[in-house]
Amino acid sequence: MNQTIHNLLTEQLASWETARNNYAALSGVRVKELNVNGIPYKVQFNPARIVSSGAKVDAKSIQARKCFLCPANLPSVQKGISFGGHYHILVNPFPIFPRHLTVPELAHTPQRIATRFTDMLELAEALTDYTIFYNGPKCGASAPDHAHFQAGNKGFMPIEKDWRGQTAGKIADYRKAVLWYLDDAPRATLVIESASKEDAADLFDIVYRSLDTKPEEDEPMMNVLAMYEADRWVVFVFPREKHRPACYTAEGEANLLSSPASVDLGGVFITPVEKDFLKITAEDVAQILSEVCLSATDFHKIRQRIREKM
């Protein structure tokens, strides 16, 4: 499958000018490294991502535009590979990663994870060169009205290789799976490690049912990363408290266009505006994370609730 995806990328970059130009621009993307309470983060200045970071995701704006993930509305040059009988694997024309994919459901149906988590695990197993990610409808998804995953080449996000050094403790063993939590505040991170797809899915269901769903929402706020390596799945679950930090709508110097999603929580903050890239500090990242992630008190309550549901 990895070779098939490589061939798709090669073909799309040869035939699709928008994608070709944006992937070429990645070579000039600027990156700086920050230390946030002992945790490594990177900040990427990527102007093309203004499309996602600045996306209007209120109900009125969504209703007023055509869904850009529906097959009928894709650019004629955009080609896809079928997956699982009801997904399309597409090249993302506004990349963060050197290899960046979007995997939408063929049918126009809302962005929800509960019934699709096994699909996410199967994607990770099929695309072993990639980390799969899910952004909740108010957790960075620029198309909350259309179910989809994304995928980026492995090794891009610091958490992928650093998480073991941040492990704070084991919440529970669950058959062939283990649930950990990380010592990485102000981020709140749960990690499922499993040699069994079924056990990973069952454990995720317990986590899902342990999280609070806000009155106006249909699912708990979260971002999820999943990868498959050494015959096991590793899944990062980031429970969320808030969609966007106060700096997103602040006026003047306090404004910073940050709308955190899975990649940001994985350790790479995306800044589509140059002034934000130049001024953002480790303290800014910590403040943003403290606003959008669960507090230490709430994270502790969730861990207790998970244990009680085991």
Side-chain angles (χ1 to χ4, degrees):
M1 190 66 166
N2 291 313
Q3 185 59 47
T4 303
I5 298 300
H6 175 77
N7 293 342
L8 174 68
L9 274 161
T10 301
E11 188 276 329
Q12 288 282 262
L13 296 187
S15 62
W16 189 5
E17 185 178 8
T18 298
R20 180 168 64 251
N21 290 343
N22 285 335
Y23 277 86
L26 284 179
S27 63
V29 160
R30 288 144 68 189
V31 177
K32 66 181 182 181
E33 298 184 0
L34 299 175
N35 184 304
V36 181
N37 298 339
I39 307 298
Y41 282 80
K42 296 178 181 179
V43 180
Q44 182 192 90
F45 170 47
N46 188 334
R49 293 301 295 181
I50 192 70
V51 174
S52 179
S53 297
K56 293 182 178 180
V57 292
D58 60 283
K60 184 177 180 180
S61 297
I62 289 171
Q63 290 171 3
R65 57 116 169 106
K66 289 183 178 180
C67 176
F68 54 85
L69 292 181
C70 281
N73 300 328
L74 296 176
S76 58
V77 71
Q78 190 167 23
K79 308 301 179 185
I81 296 169
S82 178
F83 182 83
H86 56 105
Y87 290 98
H88 246 163
I89 300 177
L90 306 170
V91 172
N92 190 318
F94 303 104
I96 296 170
F97 301 79
R99 288 172 285 152
H100 192 161
L101 310 172
T102 301
V103 188
E105 165 71 58
L106 291 175
H108 186 74
T109 187
Q111 178 80 327
R112 303 288 184 269
I113 187 65
T115 61
R116 298 179 184 277
F117 182 69
T118 298
D119 297 342
M120 189 179 193
L121 297 179
E122 290 173 353
L123 264 171
E125 186 177 15
L127 304 180
T128 52
D129 289 348
Y130 293 81
T131 296
I132 315 301
F133 54 104
Y134 170 84
N135 294 323
K138 288 190 177 178
C139 298
S142 54
D145 56 328
H146 194 121
H148 66 286
F149 299 106
Q150 293 185 64
N153 49 278
K154 277 182 180 174
F156 185 86
M157 292 175 281
I159 197 170
E160 295 175 59
K161 60 181 183 299
D162 295 336
W163 74 271
R164 290 191 181 280
Q166 299 158 13
T167 303
K170 180 188 293 187
I171 297 174
D173 290 299
Y174 187 82
R175 300 196 294 257
K176 294 180 181 179
V178 183
L179 181 64
W180 311 90
Y181 70 99
L182 303 189
D183 179 18
D184 60 351
R187 185 171 62 187
T189 310
L190 298 168
V191 185
I192 297 170
E193 191 175 15
S194 180
S196 161
K197 179 172 61 180
E198 291 74 19
D199 293 348
D202 289 347
L203 187 49
F204 177 80
D205 181 64
I206 293 171
V207 170
Y208 183 98
R209 291 186 289 107
S210 300
L211 299 175
D212 295 319
T213 301
K214 297 182 183 298
E216 68 277 14
E217 305 299 331
D218 294 321
E219 73 173 16
M221 295 180 71
M222 71 176 80
N223 299 96
V224 186
L225 302 171
M227 57 185 183
Y228 185 80
E229 57 187 13
D231 300 320
R232 77 195 194 291
W233 286 268
V234 178
V235 179
F236 303 94
V237 181
F238 307 100
R240 293 279 291 263
E241 175 60 33
K242 187 178 177 182
H243 181 196
R244 285 166 168 164
C247 63
Y248 186 88
T249 53
E251 299 291 334
E253 280 300 307
N255 178 264
L256 201 162
L257 196 69
S258 175
S259 184
S262 294
V263 175
D264 305 77
L265 294 178
V268 182
F269 263 64
I270 307 302
T271 53
V273 180
E274 186 176 26
K275 71 173 181 61
D276 293 343
F277 172 76
L278 294 174
K279 76 178 183 181
I280 194 169
T281 65
E283 290 72 24
D284 293 324
V285 170
Q287 177 61 33
I288 290 167
L289 291 172
S290 70
E291 290 184 42
V292 303
C293 297
L294 295 186
S295 68
T297 299
D298 288 343
F299 191 37
H300 177 75
K301 290 178 182 177
I302 293 300
R303 300 198 303 271
Q304 289 295 106
R305 201 177 298 166
I306 291 169
R307 291 188 182 101
E308 291 166 4
K309 289 184 182 295
M310 287 293 190

